[in-house]
Amino acid sequence: MKKVVSLIVKHLLYICLNLIFIIFSLNSVASPQKEKFKLPKIRTIPNKITLDVWEKWNSKNWILSVTFSPNGNWIAYGSYSSFNGRGTVTIIDPLTGNRKAVLYTTGGQVEKLAVSPDGNLIAAGNAGGTIDIFDVKSKEKIKTLREHKRTISSIAFSPNGKLLASADYDGVVKLWDLNTWEPIKTFSGKLVAFSPDSKYLAILNRKELFIYDISKGNTSKILSLKNLYGPVDTICFSPDGTLIAFSNFDNIYILKVSKDNKMQIKLKMKKVIKGTQYRKRMEHYPNYGEILSMSFSPDSKLIAIGTINFFKNRPQAGVVAIFDVKTGTCIKLLEKYRNDVRSVTFSPDGSMIAFGCHSGELGVLKVEEPFFSLTTLDILDKDKLLSIPKGTVIKAVRGNGGTYIVYPIYGKLKEGRLNPLYYSANPILVFKESPLLPYPGSQYPVGTIKKGEIVDKKQILITRDKKYLYLDRKGFISANSTVKIKPCKISFLAKIEGTVLKTLPNENASYTVPTGTVLFAKYFCPYFNYYLVTSPSGKSGWVSAQYLEKLPVKDINKDAVALKSTNLFFSVSSKDHGIPINQGEIIKVVFKLKNYPLYYVKKGKNKGLINKDSIAFIKMFNPQKLWTITDTVLLKAPQKSADVIRNLPKFTELKVLGRVNDFYYVEVISIKLKGWIPTELTTLVKPDKLS
């Protein structure tokens, strides 16, 4: 029996192996034109923040504090009622602006707001020093805390929902137990912020930064601020707990959070983001600015600020700016808000930023993400139901309140499926003709993309599986017909005789250049190891990196004059032919070849090399008048042996344009003729004043 079973198993294995071999063979026969190489997948980058003012509402009253609910479904902002003089907390839908509730406080203008981690409570810190606690569901005030005597300057719930910290402008900090609503600790400070794990409370005053260990009950001074001058208006922990940021005037100080061997918290200065990062991008450069509010994005990679900026002869203005925490670069700036931006905050999912202004403006910035529709989409625009066909590329804002289509039409997504698209990190080269598809996988192309086309990365969106690329307003193409390329700006010499330029890296030669020709690379294709280069004669094409030698150059970008008639040539090793340059012609020197006595110059549309001793650099300056003091001649070049253009009588009026050594470059005003004249034969004194 065992032998029979063993024999059957052997036969089954033999049959399976044969089937696998047959299937493999059939696949090989069925795809004779399959590429011999596997193309590297095009690298995508995260959909970077593309913020714009999506909605903006105008209130008649100041807005000094704005905050999102933990689920992002609503925004609360603090203001006051001009009708009855009471402070108000208004709750709205961030996607539609619809008002959900208005809550009234007891202490005047609402200065600061905080929402509990479960979203059930709102704490409103008032100008009168009171803190009103509201129940969101019942919309009723359940408690008023009255320990502070001055205006509330900072307020925060602990992430575990057990504590509330508050500070006032007298420099008094209170730590409240939410079970009893009684203060359990008092400190000195102006600003407070809890760590994400609720273990620490950061307390900031004008001179020092303290960290209170909540579990151990001790306070330690972490950082002295004695060297800082001016106001410190905001402090916050990053959501991942690794950073603390605070502001001083319009500078952002970012501290790295760590622990020592005794598990004591330590802070180390990591980066200072200067206010000039955003101020230099403003339409009018302010004298100085001040950061009034600050918020980290949920992934801790971005930081948003709200500021006030002061000008010499203009009204003050507010700015919302977003920075990359890692690089310190200002990646988005929105200005021209009346007065100051007093509060700015990210939504919990990072899809929106809300801000409030002293002038009463409330704005919501959105992160628009690109998608394509996998099915027909049903979009609700107010009372109208609209449809978007399958394969349409759209832009949408996603949030806990739903998905809103913002391009090509506006409305809330009711039915249909979306697939995300991603931005490309690189431009691409289409190296073989590819059909344009209305959507990925379609069997009915709507056109073709010709081989050799270079597509900028701003016009490319990539599907999640990286198999298809969407080219802006054209259609989808297969990624297998493209390769990524990298922009570059490198000068080369052709080091092999008969270096060939190709129309494409994978095609035959179209043009040859002699050894020593200067070539300028615009793109590099890593996959084929080819550069897209241009020669001085204007010919361009792809050339293998092995045929090129990097050319060290020194940028010049100055005007020069040809001292003698010569030629522009294209190769460092051959000067037999080129473009003629006449004595006295003004040319632009682009750069110097470090290993050769040559300059690379431009004359109109013509470009090429010229010998170093054939030109002289001109020192150009603002035109001014002068006169000849004797009969003289106008020369073609700044040397006495140069050809004569024209004789000039005594007291000829000239306009000086530049200088080379002891010669002026001038224009004869009466006949608009330019040339050179020795400086010793001119004067700045008018003829009627000459003795």
Side-chain angles (χ1 to χ4, degrees):
M1 186 66 181
K2 289 182 180 180
K3 288 182 179 181
V4 173
V5 172
S6 177
L7 188 63
I8 291 171
V9 170
K10 286 181 180 180
H11 278 286
L12 287 172
L13 285 171
Y14 178 78
I15 292 168
C16 289
L17 288 171
N18 275 279
L19 284 171
I20 292 170
F21 177 78
I22 291 168
I23 291 168
F24 180 81
S25 300
L26 286 171
N27 284 339
S28 301
V29 173
S31 306
Q33 297 179 349
K34 193 173 182 179
E35 296 292 345
K36 294 180 181 179
F37 50 83
K38 185 179 180 182
L39 292 172
K41 288 186 176 180
I42 296 176
R43 186 169 65 90
T44 59
I45 55 177
N47 287 346
K48 289 193 174 179
I49 198 162
T50 53
L51 292 168
D52 202 354
V53 177
W54 184 27
E55 295 288 354
K56 188 170 73 172
W57 303 279
N58 288 315
S59 168
K60 294 180 180 180
N61 309 307
W62 301 344
I63 298 177
L64 303 186
S65 186
V66 179
T67 185
F68 275 95
S69 65
N71 60 12
N73 285 345
W74 47 265
I75 291 174
Y77 67 87
S79 184
Y80 80 101
S81 172
S82 56
F83 176 72
N84 56 22
R86 297 172 63 185
T88 60
V89 177
T90 305
I91 300 174
I92 65 169
D93 186 314
L95 295 176
T96 64
N98 293 334
R99 184 181 296 179
K100 294 187 173 184
V102 178
L103 313 174
Y104 291 95
T105 66
T106 57
Q109 167 71 43
V110 176
E111 297 280 337
K112 300 295 176 182
L113 283 180
V115 181
S116 63
D118 58 9
N120 291 331
L121 300 176
I122 294 177
N126 305 313
T130 59
I131 301 172
D132 290 311
I133 309 298
F134 294 93
D135 183 281
V136 175
K137 292 181 180 178
S138 66
K139 301 178 178 56
E140 297 292 334
K141 181 169 61 180
I142 61 173
K143 195 73 178 178
T144 298
L145 310 179
R146 302 180 182 275
E147 293 290 327
H148 291 284
K149 306 301 181 185
R150 286 285 303 278
T151 300
I152 302 299
S153 58
S154 184
I155 192 167
F157 281 98
S158 64
N160 62 10
K162 295 181 179 180
L163 300 170
L164 176 72
S166 58
D168 62 32
Y169 283 102
D170 265 344
V172 177
V173 174
K174 297 286 183 179
L175 188 62
W176 306 81
D177 185 329
L178 297 192
N179 289 324
T180 62
W181 295 109
E182 294 294 331
I184 57 175
K185 200 78 176 176
T186 301
F187 309 95
S188 176
K190 177 187 171 185
L191 302 169
V192 292
F194 282 100
S195 63
D197 58 8
S198 300
K199 292 182 179 180
Y200 302 99
L201 176 66
I203 305 166
L204 186 66
N205 59 33
R206 176 62 191 85
K207 300 293 183 183
E208 294 155 329
L209 172 61
F210 291 90
I211 299 293
Y212 175 64
D213 189 320
I214 295 172
S215 60
K216 295 180 180 179
N218 56 25
T219 307
S220 55
K221 186 180 83 171
I222 298 295
L223 189 69
S224 173
L225 307 181
K226 291 181 180 179
N227 294 329
L228 298 183
Y229 173 76
V232 179
D233 288 305
T234 182
I235 185 174
C236 55
F237 271 92
S238 63
D240 62 8
T242 62
L243 303 171
I244 291 178
F246 67 90
S247 67
N248 174 237
F249 268 125
D250 61 352
N251 298 324
I252 304 171
Y253 292 81
I254 299 178
L255 310 173
K256 185 176 181 180
V257 180
S258 60
K259 293 183 180 180
D260 59 19
N261 296 332
K262 297 181 180 180
M263 299 305 291
Q264 295 292 323
I265 195 168
K266 295 195 310 178
L267 299 180
K268 182 180 179 181
M269 187 66 69
K270 181 179 180 180
K271 187 183 292 294
V272 179
I273 301 176
K274 297 289 186 180
T276 51
Q277 277 280 343
Y278 79 85
R279 281 195 283 142
K280 65 185 179 184
R281 293 181 56 179
M282 294 179 66
E283 183 179 351
H284 301 283
Y285 193 84
N287 288 8
Y288 68 93
E290 182 181 341
I291 297 174
L292 302 177
S293 57
M294 188 162 52
S295 175
F296 275 100
S297 62
D299 60 5
S300 304
K301 294 181 179 179
L302 301 174
I303 193 165
I305 62 169
T307 75
I308 183 172
N309 297 276
F310 298 91
F311 304 85
K312 187 175 181 179
N313 297 315
R314 299 178 62 86
Q316 62 194 39
V319 161
V320 176
I322 297 99
F323 295 86
D324 184 301
V325 173
K326 185 176 180 180
T327 64
T329 305
C330 179
I331 62 173
K332 189 71 178 180
L333 178 73
L334 295 107
E335 57 174 314
K336 296 183 179 178
Y337 295 112
R338 294 173 293 162
N339 218 294
D340 48 6
V341 179
R342 295 298 298 264
S343 184
V344 62
T345 181
F346 274 93
S347 64
D349 62 0
S351 66
M352 289 177 282
I353 294 177
F355 64 91
C357 303
H358 198 278
S359 56
E361 292 171 282
L362 173 68
V364 176
L365 313 179
K366 66 184 180 303
V367 179
E368 293 179 351
E369 297 177 89
F371 299 86
F372 74 93
S373 53
L374 285 170
T375 62
T376 300
L377 305 180
D378 289 336
I379 311 298
L380 185 63
D381 180 13
K382 296 181 180 178
D383 297 329
K384 298 179 181 179
L385 190 62
L386 307 174
S387 293
I388 292 179
K390 177 181 178 180
T392 304
V393 173
I394 66 167
K395 288 185 178 180
V397 179
R398 293 190 297 181
N400 293 328
T403 299
Y404 281 78
I405 311 299
V406 295
Y407 176 85
I409 61 175
Y410 178 85
K412 186 173 183 179
L413 178 64
K414 298 298 291 182
E415 291 288 341
R417 293 167 56 203
L418 298 174
N419 211 6
L421 294 169
Y422 300 90
Y423 296 102
S424 175
N426 301 95
I428 61 161
L429 168 68
V430 181
F431 71 91
K432 63 179 181 181
E433 193 171 278
S434 178
L436 271 173
L437 306 175
Y439 54 86
S442 173
Q443 301 299 313
Y444 304 99
V446 293
T448 57
I449 290 291
K450 294 180 180 180
K451 60 184 177 181
E453 186 168 340
I454 291 174
V455 186
D456 187 77
K457 65 180 182 180
K458 294 180 181 178
Q459 297 177 309
I460 304 169
L461 294 171
I462 305 173
T463 57
R464 182 186 295 175
D465 58 11
K466 300 185 182 180
K467 291 182 179 180
Y468 291 91
L469 310 180
Y470 175 75
L471 308 185
D472 191 26
R473 306 189 194 287
K474 292 182 179 179
F476 290 87
I477 64 170
S478 171
N480 286 332
S481 60
T482 68
V483 285
K484 69 179 181 181
I485 55 178
K486 295 180 179 180
C488 61
K489 191 178 180 181
I490 309 173
S491 302
F492 289 107
L493 287 180
K495 67 179 182 179
I496 297 176
E497 185 62 37
T499 296
V500 295
L501 304 185
K502 299 182 177 183
T503 53
L504 282 170
N506 59 330
E507 293 202 348
N508 296 327
S510 61
Y511 179 70
T512 60
V513 294
T515 304
T517 302
V518 178
L519 300 170
F520 303 96
K522 186 176 181 181
Y523 289 104
F524 173 61
C525 179
Y527 185 78
F528 291 109
N529 198 28
Y530 268 67
Y531 284 93
L532 177 62
V533 300
T534 304
S535 70
S537 63
K539 298 288 185 180
S540 63
W542 293 90
V543 60
S544 173
Q546 64 181 339
Y547 296 153
L548 301 174
E549 175 188 343
K550 193 169 182 180
L551 180 64
V553 299
K554 180 182 179 181
D555 290 336
I556 302 293
N557 290 318
K558 292 182 179 179
D559 291 319
V561 57
L563 298 176
K564 58 185 178 181
S565 295
T566 183
N567 288 326
L568 293 184
F569 45 91
F570 304 143
S571 171
V572 298
S573 57
S574 175
K575 306 174 185 177
D576 297 334
H577 61 278
I579 300 166
I581 295 290
N582 298 319
Q583 184 186 53
E585 283 199 68
I586 307 299
I587 56 179
K588 173 72 75 173
V589 179
V590 181
F591 58 76
K592 179 185 181 299
L593 280 62
K594 289 186 177 180
N595 299 333
Y596 299 88
L598 301 171
Y599 289 111
Y600 182 78
V601 303
K602 288 196 288 187
K603 174 202 169 187
K605 294 183 179 180
N606 299 313
K607 304 171 186 176
L609 300 170
I610 196 169
N611 286 315
K612 183 179 178 181
D613 58 2
S614 298
I615 63 172
F617 288 103
I618 307 172
K619 182 180 180 181
M620 294 290 193
F621 42 78
N622 293 330
Q624 56 181 316
K625 288 184 179 181
L626 47 75
W627 292 263
T628 59
I629 60 175
T630 183
D631 293 341
T632 184
V633 292
L634 189 66
L635 302 171
K636 284 187 175 181
Q639 52 190 8
K640 292 183 179 180
S641 60
D643 296 339
V644 175
I645 300 174
R646 185 185 179 94
N647 292 321
L648 297 178
K650 185 179 179 180
F651 297 152
T652 300
E653 188 176 9
L654 307 171
K655 182 164 62 176
V656 63
L657 306 174
R659 181 171 181 167
V660 172
N661 299 326
D662 295 329
F663 286 82
Y664 280 132
Y665 179 50
V666 300
E667 179 185 276
V668 182
I669 293 178
S670 61
I671 55 177
K672 305 296 182 182
L673 194 63
K674 296 179 182 178
W676 297 85
I677 191 170
T679 58
E680 60 190 16
L681 302 180
T682 64
T683 179
L684 292 171
V685 181
K686 289 184 178 181
D688 57 355
K689 294 185 179 180
L690 293 173
S691 57

